[in-house]
Amino acid sequence: MAAQLLLGKPLAEKIKGEVSQEVVSLKATGVSPSLVAIQVGQNDASRVYTNAQRKVAEAVGIKYELQELPADLTQDQLLKHIAGLNNDPKVTGIILQMPLPAQIDAKVCQWSIAYEKDVEGMTPHNMGLVTYGKPRLVPCTAKGAFELVKSTGVDVYGKEIVVIGHSDIVGKPAALLFLNEFGTVTVGHIATGQRGLTESHVRRAEILIVAVGVPHLVKGDWVKEGAIVIDVGINATKDGKIVGDVETEIAAEKAAYITPVPGGAGTATTAILMQNTVEAAKWQLEKRA
Ligand code: NAD
């Protein structure tokens, strides 16, 4: 079987179109969605993301502001800064860009973001809603992976879903999204790999999500005939190429659908961030009503 490529761009474009319309409707009710990204210290990789965020935000009509704070900022100062944004009704979404300097505990600061402005879905409240099957603001890349699978038209109910990687930002929320639709979900991680068990789980997967960050960790011949393969990994090689966590070309001989890297799973992330920004604005409106 030659797999059909699952590209992220059509999903991103569809979401951007929907978000643009919702922004127009919200503005008509007097609400202007506005996203603030906080960057502590300089970081070139993060700048690539914030530039992309600004471009997409402006394209869909969302006000975007990058706030650059000094690298020697204390955790208390950052917490006060976030509290100020939480209390500012003109700010409807807040992102804390990673990485943060060593003196700052990322979780403590992310968790201090008001849950209804937490557009990355990282607060316990929002993760709790995903866990309870009532997702509202969901981590963007996890949602992108889920939506790409859904875009194939597959019914997740009862399917063997294997998620390799259990990070808070991708693997765990992705696993929960599939569990909420009665997927039979297995989650693998570093300990699975250390016991040499990743291959046996991958071989069973009718839907495979890989979010690890190890180039070509999943060998192409492990992939089950007819599987849907979502490769979230983004890895830079020594010769300057970007590769995923799956041996895409070999896997494509067996899979029904597979995401390319780049251009696949991560491509809709920024569009989903804007979708979350609109959802956050609507949530705040409801709370005020
Ligand atoms: P992470 O480092 O937080 O988590 C990695 C996960 O992989 C952990 O669960 C770990 O236990 C597991 N793992 C590590 N080595 C393993 C091994 N040998 N075998 C099995 N499991 C192993 O990573 P993350 O933030 O979830 O990111 C994962 C990948 O996805 C990275 O390549 C990252 O760049 C990419 N990513 C892409 C986007 C995007 O496209 N927008 C967003 C987030 C992450």
Side-chain angles (χ1 to χ4, degrees), residues 191-256:
T192 318
Q194 284 165 348
R195 287 197 62 207
L197 295 175
T198 304
E199 176 181 349
S200 61
H201 291 296
V202 168
R203 283 190 182 278
R204 280 189 297 105
E206 295 173 289
I207 298 171
L208 175 66
I209 315 290
V210 190
V212 172
V214 174
H216 298 162
L217 174 89
V218 170
K219 303 302 164 211
D221 67 331
W222 297 357
V223 167
K224 190 179 173 73
E225 198 74 41
I228 298 173
V229 180
I230 309 291
D231 185 356
V232 181
I234 299 180
N235 309 289
T237 62
K238 283 188 197 125
D239 52 356
K241 284 199 197 126
I242 301 288
V243 299
D245 291 348
V246 178
E247 282 183 338
T248 314
E249 275 178 33
I250 304 168
E253 290 167 20
K254 292 168 85 185

Side-chain angles (χ1 to χ4, degrees), residues 26 31 33-35 91-94 114-120 126 136-137 272-288:
L26 273 171
V31 176
S34 125
L35 180 56
V91 175
T92 59
I94 304 168
Y115 62 80
E116 71 277 16
K117 296 190 180 186
D118 166 31
V119 291
E120 284 194 299
N126 283 318
R136 188 124 199 204
L137 296 174
I272 294 172
L273 181 68
M274 302 310 148
Q275 192 180 46
N276 279 353
T277 304
V278 163
E279 187 61 25
K282 287 200 234 167
W283 202 353
Q284 288 150 63
L285 199 59
E286 281 166 32
K287 282 187 79 178
R288 281 206 297 274

Side-chain angles (χ1 to χ4, degrees), residues 141 164-167 169-170 189-190 193 211-213 217 232-235 266 269:
T141 304
I164 306 294
H166 80 321
S167 68
I169 196 153
V170 191
H189 41 66
I190 184 73
V212 172
L217 174 89
V232 181
I234 299 180
N235 309 289
T269 296

Side-chain angles (χ1 to χ4, degrees), residues 17-273:
E18 291 164 0
V19 169
S20 300
Q21 284 180 5
E22 293 218 63
V23 170
V24 171
S25 309
L26 273 171
K27 284 184 177 169
T29 65
V31 176
S32 287
S34 125
L35 180 56
V36 169
I38 305 168
Q39 172 73 59
V40 185
Q42 297 290 321
N43 185 281
D44 288 346
S46 180
R47 189 169 294 280
V48 174
Y49 291 119
T50 52
N51 285 344
Q53 287 165 6
R54 179 184 298 284
K55 202 171 141 207
V56 179
E58 289 175 354
V60 297
I62 291 175
K63 183 169 177 263
Y64 182 86
E65 186 187 347
L66 173 62
Q67 298 186 342
E68 295 179 280
L69 304 178
D72 61 357
L73 193 80
T74 66
Q75 181 165 304
D76 275 350
Q77 287 170 324
L78 181 55
L79 288 170
K80 280 199 186 84
H81 188 83
I82 293 171
L85 297 173
N86 285 342
N87 291 326
D88 182 347
K90 292 192 293 305
V91 175
T92 59
I94 304 168
I95 324 174
L96 190 52
Q97 293 297 137
M98 298 293 135
L100 291 167
Q103 73 275 15
I104 293 174
D105 183 327
K107 281 274 185 288
V108 169
C109 296
Q110 276 178 325
W111 291 8
S112 78
I113 295 174
Y115 62 80
E116 71 277 16
K117 296 190 180 186
D118 166 31
V119 291
E120 284 194 299
M122 296 308 294
T123 56
H125 188 102
N126 283 318
M127 283 293 258
L129 289 177
V130 178
T131 308
Y132 287 127
K134 302 276 180 207
R136 188 124 199 204
L137 296 174
V138 180
C140 306
T141 304
K143 189 170 180 196
F146 179 73
E147 292 296 338
L148 271 183
V149 170
K150 299 288 285 191
S151 74
T152 66
V154 71
D155 185 2
V156 167
Y157 194 88
K159 289 277 185 319
E160 287 283 355
I161 322 270
V162 175
V163 181
I164 306 294
H166 80 321
S167 68
D168 295 338
I169 196 153
V170 191
K172 272 184 211 164
L176 287 164
L177 291 173
F178 287 105
L179 185 60
N180 288 339
E181 298 215 351
F182 290 88
T184 306
V185 182
T186 304
V187 183
H189 41 66
I190 184 73
T192 318
Q194 284 165 348
R195 287 197 62 207
L197 295 175
T198 304
E199 176 181 349
S200 61
H201 291 296
V202 168
R203 283 190 182 278
R204 280 189 297 105
E206 295 173 289
I207 298 171
L208 175 66
I209 315 290
V210 190
V212 172
V214 174
H216 298 162
L217 174 89
V218 170
K219 303 302 164 211
D221 67 331
W222 297 357
V223 167
K224 190 179 173 73
E225 198 74 41
I228 298 173
V229 180
I230 309 291
D231 185 356
V232 181
I234 299 180
N235 309 289
T237 62
K238 283 188 197 125
D239 52 356
K241 284 199 197 126
I242 301 288
V243 299
D245 291 348
V246 178
E247 282 183 338
T248 314
E249 275 178 33
I250 304 168
E253 290 167 20
K254 292 168 85 185
Y257 295 91
I258 192 163
T259 55
V261 175
T267 308
T269 296
T270 312
I272 294 172
L273 181 68

